[in-house]
Amino acid sequence: MFDFLRRLMYGRYGSDALNQFLMVIALVLLIPWFFTHWAIFSILILALIILIYCRMFSRNIYKRSAENQKFLAWFAPIQRKLAGRKMQMQDKAHRYYKCPSCGRTLRVPRGRGRIEITCPHCKRKFTKKT
Ligand SMILES: [Zn+2]
């Protein structure tokens, strides 16, 4: 069985981060389809699954890899941002604010009442409740 799979996948591209992402989108689309049964969702899901399989069994490894690199260049900053948000949510000892003038994220201790925050980068002062 594994030998069969190995022979089937020989010289073919296989899966990558882009395929996993497309799979997640297909799974997310299942939710509205489940409630509405609108044809548009089933068409989209089917198209995604066909696309995923075409990419997996593609012999043009160079082109598929280039697609994946493009996807990662677009997705990596989003992933970093989400990871940062998650870390901020888990941090119960601090609050995070964005500086209104330079946009950087500032961390202040929680539970100090109203405090004046001075941005260490641009020296702008603003008041927030902690
Ligand atoms: Zn600032």
Side-chain angles (χ1 to χ4, degrees):
M1 183 63 193
F2 286 111
D3 197 52
F4 164 75
L5 278 176
R6 201 173 307 129
R7 248 182 293 132
L8 184 72
M9 291 310 287
Y10 180 77
R12 298 184 193 267
Y13 183 63
S15 197
D16 61 8
L18 176 54
N19 263 5
Q20 285 165 20
F21 179 74
L22 293 174
M23 197 56 148
V24 169
I25 291 179
L27 288 173
V28 167
L29 283 174
L30 272 175
I31 298 164
W33 175 82
F34 188 78
F35 288 108
T36 62
H37 283 274
W38 288 351
I40 181 77
F41 292 120
S42 40
I43 291 165
L44 281 171
I45 291 165
L46 195 67
L48 279 168
I49 290 169
I50 290 168
L51 181 65
I52 289 166
Y53 274 94
C54 285
R55 292 192 74 250
M56 259 173 76
F57 289 105
S58 170
R59 289 188 186 277
N60 194 342
I61 291 168
Y62 176 77
K63 206 167 181 183
R64 298 291 88 77
S65 180
E67 287 168 3
N68 191 46
Q69 287 308 312
K70 251 188 207 162
F71 164 72
L72 286 175
W74 169 78
F75 192 61
I78 296 171
Q79 206 170 24
R80 263 200 302 278
K81 212 170 207 172
L82 287 175
R85 281 278 150 74
K86 192 178 170 204
M87 193 205 71
Q88 290 178 11
M89 300 249 290
Q90 286 169 343
D91 184 0
K92 300 294 176 208
H94 301 94
R95 287 200 72 150
Y96 292 81
Y97 290 108
K98 219 169 210 162
C99 170
S101 64
C102 71
R104 294 210 197 198
T105 303
L106 309 174
R107 191 182 74 170
V108 295
R110 231 176 234 273
R112 300 279 168 88
R114 285 184 77 80
I115 57 166
E116 190 181 60
I117 301 164
T118 307
C119 173
H121 306 286
C122 66
K123 309 297 175 206
R124 160 91 187 253
K125 288 179 194 310
F126 57 102
T127 311
K128 284 283 181 196
K129 198 172 164 277
T130 54

